[in-house]
Amino acid sequence: MADHTQALSFGAAAADYDRFRPRYPESAVRWALDGGTGADRPLRVVDLGAGTGILSRSVLALGHRVVPVEPDPGMRAQLESATAGTTALAGSAEAVPLPDGAADAVLVGQAYHWFDRERAHAEIARVLRPGGTFAPIWNIRDERVGWVAELGRIAHLGDNAGNVIEKYTDFGTGFAPIEVGEFTHTTTLTPDDVVALIRTRSYWLTAPAETRQTVERELRELLASHPELAGRETVELPYRTIVLRARRR
């Protein structure tokens, strides 16, 4: 299980998190929900570790019902402010405040790596109806692009698409084998936006002031001097969206 302090560090930056973190491609969310649940009808979807509601809003836009579950009160407050008509439940992947079989699908946006997976898998299987779909989703910078890899090094961003696919190979005995989907997209950001994005990362939020200053200085140097970035008012930050989905047995 990942560090608990980092996992609950995001509430202090909830508004910026919601503003600067990338959205999920519609194609990725559709694929996540199409795991045998019958996504041609409105589904009951739990957004687990819902954060500020970025994924919840994508699910709502597709015409489904969503129940966001989030442990951080700062993130829940931002979610409710930004997501009309939605109330986020206080809870975690290890303790979901919903009855057995309540969901057709459980999605997780950018949070699965924080879970105590053995406990979470049992709880997710309990909440899902038989045949329902569990699908964690990650937006991961495409570090096959040189300057993006350098950004990751400067900002101590350890996640990459290959690591996710190799690390998470099953969801326990309650689930069928994992299927992997990959989708690509880009976000348009100003150089200041890129810095603001990095300020929403758990490493930066929990780092000492001196480390934060070093990261920001080196990041601004990269944005000002790299041949693909220098002098540009905006940059295109490429992402690989990875979806791991499996049906509840």
Side-chain angles (χ1 to χ4, degrees):
M1 182 173 59
D3 179 78
H4 186 70
T5 301
Q6 286 192 326
L8 293 177
S9 66
F10 299 106
D16 283 347
Y17 188 107
D18 197 57
R19 178 181 174 186
F20 295 111
R21 286 293 183 107
R23 277 40 186 167
Y24 298 93
E26 179 181 319
S27 56
V29 180
R30 286 188 181 279
W31 191 87
L33 292 170
D34 191 27
T37 57
D40 56 336
R41 62 177 176 83
L43 301 176
R44 299 165 298 170
V45 180
V46 175
D47 180 6
L48 198 51
T52 63
I54 293 171
L55 181 55
S56 287
R57 292 192 291 275
S58 294
V59 173
L60 288 169
L62 294 176
H64 302 299
R65 290 170 287 170
V66 64
V67 178
V69 176
E70 167 58 39
D72 188 310
M75 299 293 263
R76 289 198 306 273
Q78 178 64 38
L79 186 154
E80 292 175 14
S81 173
T83 313
T86 300
T87 300
L89 301 182
S92 68
E94 299 80 20
V96 182
L98 292 169
D100 296 358
D104 295 308
V106 174
L107 302 188
V108 182
Q110 225 69 21
Y112 177 72
H113 49 286
W114 298 117
F115 294 176
D116 179 333
R117 290 194 292 279
E118 185 174 346
R119 292 171 58 203
H121 292 159
E123 187 69 343
I124 292 163
R126 180 189 67 77
V127 170
L128 275 171
R129 67 166 178 80
T133 298
F134 173 46
I137 307 174
W138 289 264
N139 275 322
I140 300 174
R141 298 159 318 285
D142 190 347
E143 294 195 346
R144 297 172 296 190
V145 177
W147 74 264
V148 180
E150 183 64 9
L151 179 148
R153 183 196 65 77
I154 291 168
H156 299 266
L157 306 177
D159 52 339
N160 65 64
N163 286 350
V164 166
I165 294 168
E166 293 170 8
K167 184 174 183 179
Y168 305 122
T169 57
D170 70 83
F171 297 144
T173 58
F175 293 90
I178 290 174
E179 301 173 90
V180 179
E182 180 172 342
F183 307 81
T184 59
H185 65 117
T186 62
T187 60
T188 302
L189 301 168
T190 68
D192 285 343
D193 289 344
V194 175
V195 175
L197 171 66
I198 297 305
R199 289 175 180 164
T200 71
R201 300 287 303 201
S202 60
Y203 176 85
W204 193 92
L205 289 166
T206 58
E210 183 178 355
T211 300
R212 292 184 180 188
Q213 292 166 6
T214 299
V215 168
E216 289 200 23
R217 184 183 68 252
E218 293 184 6
L219 183 55
R220 290 191 183 280
E221 288 173 358
L222 171 71
L223 293 165
S225 64
H226 191 282
E228 295 182 37
L229 306 175
R232 295 185 56 178
E233 293 185 0
T234 61
V235 299
E236 298 293 322
L237 180 54
Y239 283 92
R240 300 167 70 182
T241 300
I242 304 299
V243 184
L244 307 182
R245 74 178 185 188
R247 284 201 296 171
R248 183 190 184 283
R249 294 188 189 278

